[in-house]
Amino acid sequence: MIAEVLVDIPHKALDKVFDYVVPKDLEDSVSRGQRVDVPFGARIITGFVVGLKDATQVKGLKSIKTIRDLVPYFDEERLRISSYLAEKHLYPRAAYLEAMLPRGLSMKYERRLRVVDMNRLPKPLRPYFRETSDIAYDEALKKTAHLVREALETGALEQYPVISQQESVKEVDVVRLKKTAKVRGDKQKAVLEYLRNRGKPIDRKRLQKATEANSDSLRRLEKHGLIDIVSEERYRELQSLYNLKDKAVTLSEPQRDVYQAIKDSFGSHKTFLLHGVTSSGKTEIYIKLAEQALVKGQSALILLPEISLTPKIAARFKSRFKNQVALYHSALSTGEQYDEWRKVLRKEARLVIGARSAVFAPLENIGLIVMDEEQSDSFIQSDAPQYDAKEVARMRAKTHAAPLLLGSATPSVSSYYYAQTGRYELLELKERALKSLPPELRVVDMKSEFKKGNTTMFAEALQKAIEKRLFKGEQTLLLINRRGHAQFVLCRDCGHVVKCDDCTISMTYHKTNDVLMCHHCNKKQPMVKTCPKCGSFHIRYMGIGSERVEAALKNLFPEASILRMDRDTTGKKQGHEHLLYAFEEEGDILVGTQMIAKGLDFEDVTLVGVLSADMGLHVPDFYAESETFSLLMQIAGRSGRREKKGEVIVQTYDKDHPVFSDLQTGDYESFYRRDIAYRIQARVEPILSLTQLLVAHKQSRLAYHRALEVLRRLKQDGFETLGPSLPKIPYKNGMYRQQLIVRHNQAKSLSKTLGDLMDTVDMKRERLIVNHYPRDF
Ligand code: ADP
Ligand code: ZN
Ligand code: ZN
């Protein structure tokens, strides 16, 4: 028997399937989807079995060494998904297979040194090998490189490769009573006594603590055949600061209608878009539906954006479903993630709650897939290997004949378009579940603040509102739009932003040569000295950071307890959860980036302030307006979620932008009509897709030359293509880059053309990078 093995080296040139002989004694246990160790060149590496066959034309084959996972980690479904994604993104399939596994399963390749002849070993090296006969190669080299080399040459040492998994199963010793007998020694007596009273096995550590017996006593008891000590596998327990009570909720009438519509479609594939205002009880519906799937003996997958930011939602599911839930996201430790994943593989957990990567969970017989906050771009993995979890979710829902439920308070314009045009079924919830009033929203014009002489970052109204909250002991959230950090140019007098005449997206300021540039079409112009619209000199590029805001706040409100949440403050494991918990317990003001906009449910937050609300509007991105609208709606939804009415203050230089009136009336429809009209005109999603190609070369001139070649081929095949232009990052990893942008609605045939082009790439000096999800240019 011959196995087709995909080797685990994510490198385009090696993305090939190699044939290996399956040794006779492994023939019964080998199957597709397993990982195997195979010889590759001079090394042993791990690969994936993607096919089995009886014969091959290839001569002189090597054999599989071992099978790593007897139970295959990939079923047909996920093997198929991996090959689909690899073809679409022109990226190695092995990288996708890796991405489907928990981090802890990726392989560590290590070289080690072993003593062959201690007598011939140079004296200074001997101490290293006194306790052990082998040590890690790199560690040895650090100390005495030349001696190690010499010993290798004389044959006193030899090196050998080791492959191991990053993470392993956690095991603990468990003690069981076999029989009692008279023993000497108080400690031993105590142990037997304790075990008899308990009547069941116990962890060794706990036993020793309870009886103060040491390992010697236990070993003696074991030797006399009175107890057994065996090692048992344990899952690492996930800790959460939130321990919620399971509360039984009866769905309201509108909730029940939504629930019923989806429940009725169990067993067939259909996509629903649930448009429900924040706090309308969407999550309660997800819980009830998941329950239903489990009752029917099926499994369910719930995807949330950035689950680590919303520990409470996870806790709600946990309180309802207990051990049937596996949580899966990247903020878990490697070991925890590995354990949660194994619970799913072994079908001990049939409900998976997770972020983007959970879409690859090894679930079988899926009855329901939910994607909450479906508009969130965190469902797109934009770093390689790229994928859109929504697309994968749709593929899986189809395979399992299960409904896919997309939920949001501000659906993505594309999803809403599909709901309007009949591809999705639209369901709506228009009221908050707890009948709390929607917050009052005010838009403040920063231009007039500036004219009034207020040059601080905070409008007078916002300062007053914060003071009031501090006085009443209520809480404030302050949002800084980080996407506004891009260096666009704004007039502080009239709010004008310099945009590309051709593309309608903002131009980016380049400090080094003092020019403005459109990263979409490559148009350049000198930096303006005065506002092209009103002539003011107060024109400059913008961007404020959360640290500066925090410092300014401390100045204004020295007594307040101010917390800051951004990448810098949440680096540690469970960093988010600790910070959010601390804020809920004793904070006055939480300053943060987009991170704080999503899903937070704090009772005492009655004020939300948005600094620089229009920043996000000027990011050179076709989707800037929808992104901003949805962010502002979300953050507004964090205020006044219980009895107390909330207030939202939005600061902007562009008060008349229609997005703010939609925000004030909470009118999604009006926003949608404007944005879809714009998108139809700009010919972007959902009308056409944009694919960015980066042509990279070690030589700048050749990068441009190659880009022209790629352009020619694309045009030849009928693809509308812009460029070459300079990308946002024009030089990376030792290569110069040129950008091409393809507008299309046929990903399949584009992949084919790109596949042909990819074959011509000389990996020694050039790259062709395909990005199906470009955002700001
Ligand atoms: P969403 O997911 O739409 O933001 P949630 O499901 O989180 O809304 O609901 C908001 C709050 O209202 C939660 O505290 C939830 O427990 C509560 N809630 C939702 N539906 C009901 C209901 N039918 N009866 C009582 N409380 C409800
Ligand atoms: Zn101006
Ligand atoms: Zn342009």
Side-chain angles (χ1 to χ4, degrees), residues 10-205:
H11 193 284
K12 182 69 198 168
L14 289 176
D15 195 22
K16 276 205 215 119
V17 172
F18 293 91
D19 287 347
Y20 284 91
V21 173
V22 180
K24 271 270 171 298
D25 56 328
L26 294 183
E27 278 192 356
D28 288 337
S29 33
V30 75
S31 67
R32 271 161 62 87
Q34 283 171 335
R35 293 180 307 163
V36 290
D37 288 354
V38 292
F40 189 81
R43 301 183 293 153
I44 302 281
I45 61 172
T46 299
F48 305 95
V49 178
V50 293
L52 290 168
K53 54 193 179 187
D54 291 333
T56 176
Q57 308 285 358
V58 189
K59 298 256 150 43
L61 289 188
K62 294 182 182 166
S63 298
I64 289 176
K65 286 272 174 253
T66 50
I67 295 176
R68 258 193 188 271
D69 328 302
L70 277 177
V71 179
Y73 284 171
F74 300 96
D75 53 13
E76 291 304 322
E77 180 192 17
R78 287 177 311 130
L79 282 175
R80 199 165 28 96
I81 292 174
S82 74
S83 94
Y84 169 83
L85 291 174
E87 268 168 44
K88 172 172 176 177
H89 295 281
L90 295 112
Y91 204 76
R93 186 174 171 198
Y96 283 102
L97 291 170
E98 282 262 320
M100 291 182 179
L101 295 177
R103 286 194 299 284
L105 283 180
S106 49
M107 289 295 153
K108 248 184 349 199
Y109 295 96
E110 200 186 13
R111 280 185 297 179
R112 296 187 72 82
L113 291 178
R114 176 160 56 201
V115 181
V116 182
D117 183 354
M118 192 60 115
N119 294 323
R120 276 190 295 152
L121 194 64
K123 278 224 170 64
L125 287 180
R126 288 183 193 174
Y128 298 126
F129 296 94
R130 198 153 286 151
E131 298 271 313
T132 146
S133 68
D134 69 337
I135 61 174
Y137 184 79
D138 294 338
E139 193 190 330
L141 273 194
K142 249 183 256 155
K143 290 162 185 152
T144 42
H146 67 285
L147 290 179
V148 171
R149 199 166 311 135
E150 188 189 305
L152 280 169
E153 276 161 15
T154 64
L157 283 179
E158 68 177 359
Q159 61 162 310
Y160 67 104
V162 178
I163 325 178
S164 58
Q165 215 164 275
Q166 303 251 358
E167 198 58 54
S168 53
V169 171
K170 179 178 158 190
E171 292 186 337
V172 295
D173 285 348
V174 174
V175 182
R176 188 172 64 93
L177 181 67
K178 278 169 80 179
K179 60 179 183 225
T180 45
K182 277 227 158 63
V183 288
R184 260 179 293 156
D186 292 343
K187 291 287 149 62
Q188 295 187 45
K189 272 187 202 139
V191 167
L192 294 183
E193 178 79 16
Y194 188 92
L195 286 172
R196 197 172 42 228
N197 286 341
R198 182 177 161 86
K200 55 181 181 181
I202 182 175
D203 283 8
R204 174 218 276 272
K205 278 203 189 120

Side-chain angles (χ1 to χ4, degrees), residues 675-689:
D675 207 54
I676 193 72
Y678 165 72
R679 288 172 184 232
I680 288 170
Q681 191 212 343
R683 300 167 62 244
V684 292
E685 295 278 359
I687 310 304
L688 290 173
S689 303

